[in-house]
Amino acid sequence: MAEGQKTPGRKAVGRKSLGPRNETKLRYPKELDLQDLAKARGYSNVNQFVSDVLCLLAGRPDLATTKAYQGTLNLKELAQAS
């Protein structure tokens, strides 16, 4: 079977691509619990949470996931929580 073809009777797994992304290593204070911050806002993925925060800070909510549009992620709320 050619690459990229679905096997009959099998479901596709994984999530939809978020498009081209850059990758970087992030160092942050140990006192911050990014896992808890993300989980409290409905994210199961810390990377997506950080990406959405950066998109909103950069004034590009169009590049964030739908959670940012649903009001789950609010930069003013995040600033007050810290």
Side-chain angles (χ1 to χ4, degrees):
M1 186 169 283
E3 187 177 328
Q5 288 183 336
K6 291 183 182 180
T7 304
R10 289 198 166 207
K11 286 185 176 181
V13 288
R15 63 182 165 109
K16 182 181 169 190
S17 171
L18 296 173
R21 297 282 191 238
N22 288 323
E23 187 176 334
T24 189
K25 184 174 184 176
L26 176 65
R27 294 177 185 252
Y28 59 93
K30 287 185 176 185
E31 294 82 8
L32 289 179
D33 190 338
L34 290 182
Q35 192 74 31
D36 280 352
L37 284 171
K39 188 182 282 187
R41 282 148 187 91
Y43 287 83
S44 60
N45 184 305
V46 172
N47 290 328
Q48 193 56 54
F49 170 72
V50 172
S51 177
D52 283 358
V53 169
L54 293 174
C55 289
L56 295 177
L57 283 172
R60 293 294 310 268
D62 56 306
L63 297 176
T65 63
T66 56
K67 288 192 185 307
Y69 294 114
Q70 294 168 348
T72 305
L73 186 58
N74 181 316
L75 291 180
K76 289 180 183 177
E77 174 192 315
L78 281 173
Q80 292 171 351
S82 55

